[in-house]
Structure formats: C-alpha cells, structure tokens
Amino acid sequence: MIEGPFFVLVVAGVLGTGLMAGIFCALSVLVTRGLATLPPAQGVAAMNAINVAAIRPAFMTVFMSAAVLSAMIAVVTFVVWPDDGTVELLLGSALYLFGSFGLTVVANVPRNERLARLTPGAPEAALYWPVYVREWTLWNHVRAVASAAATVVYVLALT
C-alpha cells in the first residue's frame, strides 16, 4: 500500500495527468474541429493565437507540473520500490512523459512553429492548414489517450 508523502505525490500525479487528459480531449473534440470549419486564413490566425496563449503560465504550469510529478513518481518508485503498484506507477509515468510531454515536443510543437511562420492569408497557409489540422489533431488524440491512461494506471496503483 502506498502511504504518506508518496501517496500525496501519486494523487497529485493523478490530478495533473487527469487535468491534461481533459485539456487535450477538449482541444481535439471541440477546438480543432471548430477551427477546421473556418476559412484557412481565420483558422490559421486563431490557432496561432491559441498557441501563443498556451505558452503562458496558466497552461504551462499544469502541463509542466504533470511532467515533473510523473518524473518524481518514477524516481521515487525506483528508490522505494513499493510492494504494490510498482508496474502501474512506472507505466503511468512513462505514458505521460513519453506519450504526452515527449509527443508534444516532437510532434505538436514543430507543427505549431511551422504554422506560426506562415502568413494567415497566404496561399502556403491555405495549403498547409488542412494538413496541420489533420496531423496536429491526430497527435493530440494520442496525447489525450496517453494522459488519460496515465491517470488510470496511477489510480490503479493506489488501489
């Protein structure tokens, strides 16, 4: 049974990864679907504005905290090696760190940076916009599922 400060750490990990799962899910099923219906110039401009807002403290605190908590859970698990929940704790950490945080760095951010370099009304932006929405949303689905799965296996470790 996980107890004491380690229990609190894992509960915080559950909250962080669960919150990120919800954010990523909302982006996939609401935001990008809505933006995809806009003319390309408007969609590009709106998504660029969202991407600027995403690097402000409100989002980055939750996103980075979930990564730090997942890393701390993995390290403490290796040090303590609890009798119960070890596999779940390590799997939850890997799911968030690689499937959400890492995927953001290698899949979503490069697409955001490419989109930011385009002028919203330019022909190149109009051509790239549907590709961007399709690819970005696909990888965002993966981030949502990975975050949700991390939450579930962290909860399983606590039971």
Side-chain angles (χ1 to χ4, degrees), residues 2 7 10-11 13-15 17 88-89 92 148-159:
I2 299 169
F7 178 83
V10 176
V11 169
V14 167
L15 295 173
T17 57
E88 291 87 351
L89 294 169
T151 303
V152 169
V153 295
Y154 280 158
V155 168
L156 291 174
L158 294 173
T159 60

Side-chain angles (χ1 to χ4, degrees), residues 1-129:
M1 180 77 178
I2 299 169
E3 299 175 331
F6 193 28
F7 178 83
V8 174
L9 178 65
V10 176
V11 169
V14 167
L15 295 173
T17 57
L19 186 54
M20 287 310 305
I23 291 169
F24 291 143
C25 181
L27 283 168
S28 283
V29 302
L30 300 171
V31 177
T32 56
R33 285 190 183 185
L35 294 178
T37 66
L38 296 174
Q42 292 176 354
V44 169
M47 191 65 191
N48 281 335
I50 290 168
N51 289 334
V52 168
I55 58 173
R56 294 207 172 107
F59 174 78
M60 291 303 290
T61 298
V62 176
F63 180 64
M64 295 301 291
S65 293
V68 169
L69 288 165
S70 293
M72 289 173 62
I73 290 167
V75 168
V76 172
T77 300
F78 276 116
V79 171
V80 174
W81 207 262
D83 294 333
D84 297 317
T86 302
V87 171
E88 291 87 351
L89 294 169
L90 294 175
L91 179 59
S93 295
L95 282 165
Y96 188 80
L97 291 171
F98 295 105
S100 181
F101 185 82
L103 195 56
T104 298
V105 172
V106 300
N108 293 85
V109 169
R111 285 168 175 77
N112 293 345
E113 290 171 346
R114 180 174 174 194
L115 190 71
R117 289 190 299 269
L118 300 174
T119 303
E124 301 84 27
L127 288 173
Y128 182 59
W129 176 241

Side-chain angles (χ1 to χ4, degrees), residues 141-154:
H141 288 338
V142 176
R143 296 190 304 176
V145 169
S147 296
T151 303
V152 169
V153 295
Y154 280 158

